[in-house]
Amino acid sequence: MRSGESGDSNLTQLDWTDFQPGSIVAIRVSLHDKVKPALSLLGELVSGFTHRVVPSHEELREVISRLDLSDLNRALYRCAEEEREEGQGAGVYDIPDFGPTVYCGLQ
């Protein structure tokens, strides 16, 4: 793998070379410093009007602890074709003035 400049100071481009089948990649990423305060504010705003709908942290941890990798993949990264194939979904979210999201899941 090579890392290179993309021309955008907020983006690092990774070029995969000699990536053998069965290989595993782990990439650690972090939010840009400018994004962290906005994300924190968003969390506060959301928790202000969803506290009665969202399960407690303990309940959420209990549910998540029972998920296997397949469940997590479905919850986070399911694509439109996978949703349609199963017959239980209509595709990805389409956000007005933004367009369709990449995944049907939380990611």
Side-chain angles (χ1 to χ4, degrees), residues 7 14 30-31 41 50 73 78 97 100 102:
L14 302 176
S30 62
L31 294 173
L41 177 60
T50 62
N73 181 56
R78 191 97 169 210
D97 299 324
V102 177

Side-chain angles (χ1 to χ4, degrees), residues 3-107:
S3 175
E5 291 297 319
S6 66
D8 181 349
S9 63
N10 293 321
L11 182 70
T12 299
Q13 182 175 336
L14 302 176
D15 296 319
W16 302 100
T17 57
D18 300 322
F19 194 69
Q20 302 297 316
S23 299
I24 296 174
V25 174
I27 300 173
R28 183 177 179 183
V29 297
S30 62
L31 294 173
H32 194 279
D33 288 337
K34 291 187 234 177
V35 176
K36 291 177 184 178
L39 190 59
S40 177
L41 177 60
L42 179 61
E44 291 173 21
L45 292 171
V46 169
S47 68
F49 64 82
T50 62
H51 69 279
R52 288 178 293 271
V53 178
V54 176
S56 69
H57 291 291
E58 293 78 26
E59 291 172 314
L60 190 56
R61 283 192 181 122
E62 181 184 337
V63 169
I64 291 172
S65 72
R66 290 182 273 167
L67 300 178
D68 61 21
L69 291 177
S70 178
D71 296 330
L72 287 172
N73 181 56
R74 181 178 184 167
L76 296 173
Y77 301 109
R78 191 97 169 210
C79 71
E81 289 77 22
E82 291 172 309
E83 286 288 308
R84 282 192 218 102
E85 256 181 35
E86 193 173 83
Q88 296 186 18
V92 297
Y93 300 107
D94 193 349
I95 302 170
D97 299 324
F98 178 78
T101 59
V102 177
Y103 298 108
C104 298
L106 298 173
Q107 181 61 19

